[in-house]
Amino acid sequence: MCMPDIVPEVTKALGNARQAVKDAAAAAMTACMSAVSNKDLEQFIPMLIDTMQNPIKVPHCVHKLAATTFVQTVEAPTLSIMVPLLVRGLRHDNTTAIKRKAAVIIENMAKLVDNPLDAAPFLPSLLPGLEKVANEVADPECRSVAARAAKELNRVANEGQTVPPKKADLAVVAAALKELIAARNPSVAGDAVFAATLSYVASLSATLQDTKIFDFDEWNGVAVTPYLATFMGEEDAEAVTRAYLARAVEEAEREAAANAPIEEEGEELCNCEFSLAYGAKILLNNATMRLIRGRRYGLCGPNGVGKSTLMRAIANGQVCAVIHDLSSTFIHRLVVLGMVPHLPL
């Protein structure tokens, strides 16, 4: 099971009448949230759990989250935690401000979704509430914010219909693992009892590949080695884990190289990835800036999209900490007012 499947069930248990069940559900939810690798949410984890247990605190929680600028990529685990709260915020009785703030959070987070397939399971929960707010709330400004958020979610939904799922083939993963295991311990690879464990380990490995998690400690300490070690010993299990992880990393690098844009030649002054926000507004998310010596670059865009903010960030070293052998100066546009005496014609 994945976080989008686990969190709704644990959330139900948080409202159980028995205190022992509540306590166990709170511990499980804490463990779930701690597994979400989104730095923007880390500080809010205790508050989110408390709010799930005490729905009366939804307005306070939504208010705190609305004042936060989210800049990290939003994936399915993050959405699984946020969506229950946002749904409650959209349904909050007679509080237009909370509905508006929930819509602002939804719009900002939707802009940070890189893979539309991550958001797809949550759209049926969020879109009806947004559309209701956009059509029924008396405040026109709140309706406008909700309509924008709904438009952003529909954009994600439309992209999700055209983006093919990038998932590892379980059969291919299992076959590769079995081949590596057979090279070290043929009897284990052909064991019918081991087949169920192999299938489970293959599913864990495929999930790690799909989410681009290639940290050896994660594979060796949690996902692969402990299960294999039961059948073939710690040393052989770790060797199989290392070998398969090397294959997975190589495959991911080939895929990344195939999709990489063609880069122009020349002396590289900087090459970095960054996110940029102004207040609660997301301007750029996971953008790449690469500058070549001797080239001239320009920023084009309508008023209010963040051109000046980006230039200030570059000048202050916030975008690319090191631009080799160069200093940056941002010259503000000056407007000079004066009087010209009338001249005789």
Side-chain angles (χ1 to χ4, degrees):
M1 296 181 71
C2 299
M3 287 283 283
D5 303 313
I6 295 170
V7 170
E9 299 303 319
V10 178
T11 302
K12 293 176 187 176
L14 286 170
N16 195 282
R18 297 179 59 187
Q19 189 60 44
V21 175
K22 283 185 178 181
D23 293 342
M29 186 62 77
T30 301
C32 288
M33 290 192 176
S34 299
V36 175
S37 57
N38 188 301
K39 300 294 184 184
D40 296 332
L41 281 183
E42 280 185 357
Q43 60 179 313
F44 298 111
I45 287 177
M47 182 178 66
L48 285 165
I49 295 174
D50 185 36
T51 303
M52 289 180 178
Q53 292 177 295
N54 304 283
I56 194 172
K57 297 183 179 181
V58 166
H60 174 71
C61 188
V62 169
H63 174 74
K64 289 288 187 182
L65 289 167
T68 302
T69 300
F70 293 93
V71 295
Q72 283 211 310
T73 300
V74 172
E75 298 174 337
T78 303
L79 289 169
S80 67
I81 291 172
M82 292 294 295
V83 166
L85 171 71
L86 295 172
V87 169
R88 287 178 176 178
L90 291 172
R91 294 175 180 172
H92 202 266
D93 295 336
N94 302 321
T95 311
T96 299
I98 297 302
K99 294 177 180 178
R100 180 190 176 282
K101 288 176 180 178
V104 168
I105 296 170
I106 292 170
E107 181 184 9
N108 285 341
M109 295 190 78
K111 292 176 180 177
L112 297 175
V113 174
D114 273 358
N115 184 356
L117 297 173
D118 282 337
F122 305 100
L123 298 179
S125 299
L126 292 173
L127 276 172
L130 279 173
E131 290 169 353
K132 184 175 182 180
V133 172
N135 293 325
E136 298 181 9
V137 170
D139 182 6
E141 202 272 338
C142 180
R143 292 200 307 270
S144 173
V145 171
R148 282 204 319 267
K151 181 180 179 180
E152 192 65 29
L153 280 186
N154 281 315
R155 176 192 64 78
V156 173
N158 291 335
E159 288 182 0
Q161 292 174 0
T162 59
V163 175
K166 297 180 179 179
K167 294 187 177 293
D169 188 320
L170 280 177
V172 173
V173 174
L177 284 168
K178 189 173 183 178
E179 177 190 341
L180 293 170
I181 292 166
R184 289 192 161 265
N185 197 324
S187 62
V188 170
D191 188 350
V193 177
F194 176 66
T197 298
L198 176 61
S199 177
Y200 181 63
V201 170
S203 68
L204 293 177
S205 301
T207 299
L208 290 173
Q209 283 182 254
D210 293 340
T211 52
K212 301 293 186 288
I213 298 175
F214 299 119
D215 179 51
F216 175 71
D217 291 338
E218 187 79 20
W219 288 66
N220 188 56
V222 180
V224 180
T225 303
Y227 297 100
L228 299 183
T230 305
F231 292 87
M232 58 188 305
E234 189 76 29
E235 184 178 343
D236 284 345
E238 183 174 326
V240 169
T241 301
R242 286 186 183 277
Y244 184 80
L245 179 56
R247 288 189 185 184
V249 170
E250 184 181 349
E251 182 181 334
E253 289 175 348
R254 282 200 306 270
E255 181 182 339
N259 296 328
I262 299 175
E263 296 184 343
E264 58 181 330
E265 296 181 355
E267 182 186 350
E268 192 175 85
L269 297 176
C270 83
N271 189 350
C272 60
E273 187 176 280
F274 67 97
S275 296
L276 185 67
Y278 183 77
K281 184 178 181 181
I282 306 300
L283 301 176
L284 293 168
N285 176 50
N286 291 341
T288 299
M289 183 173 76
R290 183 171 183 265
L291 303 179
I292 303 298
R293 186 183 294 277
R295 302 288 193 272
R296 295 182 179 181
Y297 300 93
L299 289 177
C300 300
N303 292 337
V305 297
K307 300 185 298 299
S308 298
T309 302
L310 175 57
M311 293 298 293
R312 285 193 196 93
I314 293 172
N316 294 333
Q318 294 170 284
V319 171
C320 198
V322 179
I323 300 183
H324 303 293
D325 302 324
L326 288 179
S327 59
S328 302
T329 303
F330 176 47
I331 302 174
H332 294 265
R333 181 178 60 189
L334 298 177
V335 178
V336 181
L337 299 179
M339 290 189 353
V340 177
H342 290 287
L343 297 176
L345 296 176

